[in-house]
Amino acid sequence: MTNNDMITRFFIFLLLCLLMLPVHAGKVDTGNPDLDAVFGALTGRNFSAKEAALAKLAASSQAKRFEMIEGVLSGRLRLLKKTGRLVWADKSGRKYRATDVFTGEQLGEFKKRKLKKIAINNRLRRVIKGILATRDLDSDDPAQRPKSVQAMLASPSPAQAALIAPRLKKETDAGVREAMQLVLALGGLHADDAQTRMKAVADVSDSLQPAVRQALTAMAASDPDKAVKQAAAAALRKIEDRVRLFGRVETLFFGLSLGSVLVLAAIGLAITFGVMGVINMAHGELIMLGAYTTYLIQQLMPDSAGLSLFLSIPAAFVVSGLVGIAIERGVIRFLYGRPLETLLATFGISLILQQLVRTLISPQNVPVSNPEFMSGFWQINSVLSLIYNRMYIILFCLLVFAGLFMVLKRTRLGLQVRAVSQNRAMARAMGVHSARVDAMTFGLGSGIAGIAGVALSQLTNVSPNLGQAYIVDSSWWWCSAVLETCGAP
């Protein structure tokens, strides 16, 4: 017998073995003809038929439909080849323990090849995730239904649109209805009919959802109908223009929030320079002291972030204000009229304060927690959200500015400060104690710097170098004032 004869006989034997397999292998036997047809398609090789079968299963009245669809996604739902029964396959050592899906009967342990796994691709995975999101569409909890619809927006398809359509008429929440309509429109973008796709493009042209932009981008690049392709490109340009507009609004908001902190820092500089003609290079460290005051108070009250923040505002004002008065009384009052010496002296004081904080507290960054009412954000639309802590900081800046304005306009100290800043000699002649006014003014400016530190602690981590970055931004124009005071060209 030649080698060729042996090979031929081997293949004939193998073919006979295949023919001897049970004729019902791979056939589904659930006892329900409709389910047999659904799972017959799911165990086949046509992925389009599988997607339609999944949609049909999800729309059925089968009690375990979502559990079975989830089993398809996880690979736990399998077909027992020998009997055609659907089983839950749980790994047990080298074998799988099979449990009947409908009856719960334990069928024993089987090798992997005895169980047929339902093959799926990435598209079907997205479809299944969208279908599973529909479990909460009928929930009585109004917070669950929007989450469910938003999850479907991540992978829109005609099958999901078919699931949404019957629920849209029953939905009472306006926000959920709007999201459902968007899912229906997105499903229309994938329709076979060009007119349906054209109508869907018009329906989604005002939406800013990322899923809409992704779908329109794909259509503008590869839709077979030229008119639909042009309409998708035009809608995409319109949406991108709005996205850029809201991006500028968000940038403006961030700029206003950061500018609010810089305004608080600059107010203190303006007061001290306007009254005494002093450039305080330690002003940034006074901001830093206010931020560390907030941190230390929060350490004393770890479970009351909101109360500790409110207590930090007057505490930071007092701490930074007293340090400012000490700087004025101890150093600056001996250097009036000598701006360069004042600048150098306060720069040395700033280094001392930084090292003092490193030694007494920590050289590392320390975090300050945001209170609950300042956490989170206000979601205006899918591309624009305003962070609560920055909104509160803008409001806080306006309140501090209004309070300082009232102090300077309505109090005796404010009157004296204005008098000394306008004409120091005349103010002295009128009985104003200019030295005391200088100390109080420097303390007022320093206290406001401390309040700025409280605001900064809600935006960033607190470190010994915190004040340096912000004081440069808030006082760069003072350099020209220093040069002019010194007579430089």
Side-chain angles (χ1 to χ4, degrees):
M1 183 182 297
T2 65
N3 290 337
N4 289 337
D5 291 337
M6 293 181 63
I7 293 173
T8 302
R9 291 187 178 189
F10 173 76
F11 279 109
I12 293 173
F13 174 75
L14 183 62
L15 179 61
L16 289 173
C17 290
L18 292 174
L19 292 174
M20 290 175 63
L21 289 174
V23 295
H24 55 269
K27 300 293 184 180
V28 183
D29 182 16
T30 64
N32 184 324
D34 292 334
L35 278 181
D36 289 348
V38 166
F39 282 96
L42 284 174
T43 54
R45 296 182 178 181
N46 188 326
F47 285 95
S48 297
K50 290 185 180 188
E51 183 175 347
L54 286 169
K56 186 175 180 180
L57 177 60
S60 70
S61 59
Q62 170 57 237
K64 295 184 177 181
R65 61 188 184 279
F66 290 117
E67 189 178 356
M68 287 189 288
I69 293 174
E70 193 168 14
V72 173
L73 179 63
S74 65
R76 184 169 174 253
L77 181 68
R78 302 196 181 189
L79 179 70
L80 186 59
K81 295 179 181 179
K82 185 177 181 179
T83 62
R85 297 171 72 173
L86 287 173
V87 297
W88 301 119
D90 298 303
K91 196 171 178 71
S92 177
R94 295 185 177 182
K95 295 185 178 181
Y96 286 84
R97 185 174 61 255
T99 306
D100 189 278
V101 169
F102 302 103
T103 65
E105 180 186 354
Q106 296 288 337
L107 302 178
E109 294 185 350
F110 298 88
K111 293 182 179 180
K112 184 178 180 179
R113 65 174 180 270
K114 300 293 184 180
L115 301 168
K116 182 176 179 61
K117 184 179 179 181
I118 299 174
I120 58 175
N121 56 16
N122 288 335
R123 175 174 174 80
L124 283 181
R125 288 186 182 91
R126 291 193 296 270
V127 170
I128 290 174
K129 289 177 182 177
I131 291 174
L132 292 176
T134 64
R135 282 183 293 187
D136 295 326
L137 284 177
D138 299 322
S139 173
D140 294 331
D141 185 358
Q144 289 297 324
R145 298 197 302 276
K147 291 180 181 178
S148 176
V149 179
Q150 288 296 327
M152 297 182 74
L153 284 175
S155 55
S157 68
Q160 292 177 5
L163 295 172
I164 285 284
R167 293 173 170 86
L168 179 61
K169 298 178 181 179
K170 301 184 292 182
E171 182 56 54
T172 56
D173 186 273
V176 178
R177 283 182 61 84
E178 183 179 354
M180 284 182 169
Q181 289 168 348
L182 183 57
V183 173
L184 290 174
L186 283 171
L189 293 178
H190 299 85
D192 295 329
D193 181 48
Q195 291 184 349
T196 303
R197 296 200 304 276
M198 181 71 79
K199 182 179 182 303
V201 169
D203 291 340
V204 302
S205 60
D206 291 329
S207 174
L208 297 173
Q209 288 285 347
V212 172
R213 281 182 279 161
Q214 292 173 5
L216 290 178
T217 300
M219 292 182 70
S222 60
D223 194 276
D225 189 280
K226 185 176 179 180
V228 175
K229 191 174 182 178
Q230 292 175 347
L236 184 61
R237 286 194 298 271
K238 178 182 175 182
I239 292 173
E240 287 177 344
D241 287 342
R242 294 184 63 201
V243 170
R244 282 192 292 270
L245 175 62
F246 284 116
R248 294 189 185 102
V249 171
E250 189 172 41
T251 301
L252 176 63
F253 171 71
F254 272 76
L256 287 175
S257 62
L258 178 58
S260 299
V261 178
L262 298 180
V263 164
L264 291 177
I267 286 174
L269 285 173
I271 292 173
T272 55
F273 185 81
V275 176
M276 297 177 287
V278 171
I279 302 297
N280 180 17
M281 294 298 292
H283 199 75
E285 279 57 49
L286 296 171
I287 295 174
M288 177 262 294
L289 290 179
Y292 271 101
T293 301
T294 307
Y295 165 72
L296 293 175
I297 291 179
Q298 193 170 91
Q299 295 304 300
L300 295 174
M301 307 172 64
D303 298 327
S304 303
L307 179 60
S308 66
L309 181 63
F310 283 114
L311 294 178
S312 297
I313 296 172
F317 181 85
V318 171
V319 170
S320 295
L322 289 177
V323 172
I325 292 174
I327 292 172
E328 196 279 335
R329 289 287 85 190
V331 178
I332 292 178
R333 72 187 181 101
F334 301 109
L335 301 174
Y336 285 134
R338 291 182 285 175
L340 284 179
E341 286 85 343
T342 305
L343 187 147
L344 292 173
T346 52
F347 178 70
I349 292 172
S350 72
L351 298 178
I352 293 172
L353 291 175
Q354 288 182 36
Q355 190 58 45
L356 188 65
V357 168
R358 289 190 180 95
T359 303
L360 296 181
I361 301 178
S362 172
Q364 306 297 328
N365 291 1
V366 294
V368 176
S369 301
N370 290 334
E372 185 175 352
F373 67 89
M374 291 181 67
S375 301
F377 55 89
W378 176 24
Q379 189 73 45
I380 296 177
N381 54 45
S382 59
V383 296
L384 177 62
S385 59
L386 304 182
I387 303 174
Y388 285 141
N389 65 346
R390 291 183 178 271
M391 294 174 62
Y392 279 107
I393 284 172
I394 294 173
L395 177 62
F396 178 63
C397 173
L398 294 174
L399 292 175
V400 172
F401 186 84
L404 180 62
F405 180 83
M406 295 301 295
V407 168
L408 293 178
K409 288 291 185 180
R410 302 294 183 183
T411 65
R412 181 179 179 84
L413 173 63
L415 178 63
Q416 293 178 349
V417 167
R418 287 184 285 125
V420 171
S421 63
Q422 292 174 16
N423 193 323
R424 180 178 291 268
M426 182 58 70
R428 285 180 177 178
M430 297 297 294
V432 175
H433 195 308
S434 62
R436 186 177 69 86
V437 172
D438 288 340
M440 296 301 294
T441 302
F442 205 91
L444 178 63
S446 301
I448 294 174
I451 292 177
V454 177
L456 262 180
S457 69
Q458 299 302 300
L459 295 178
T460 184
N461 286 333
V462 178
S463 71
N465 298 321
L466 173 69
Q468 293 297 313
Y470 291 92
I471 199 60
V472 171
D473 291 335
S474 64
S475 62
W476 62 268
W477 58 274
W478 290 109
C479 294
S480 61
V482 172
L483 293 176
E484 183 179 351
T485 304
C486 298

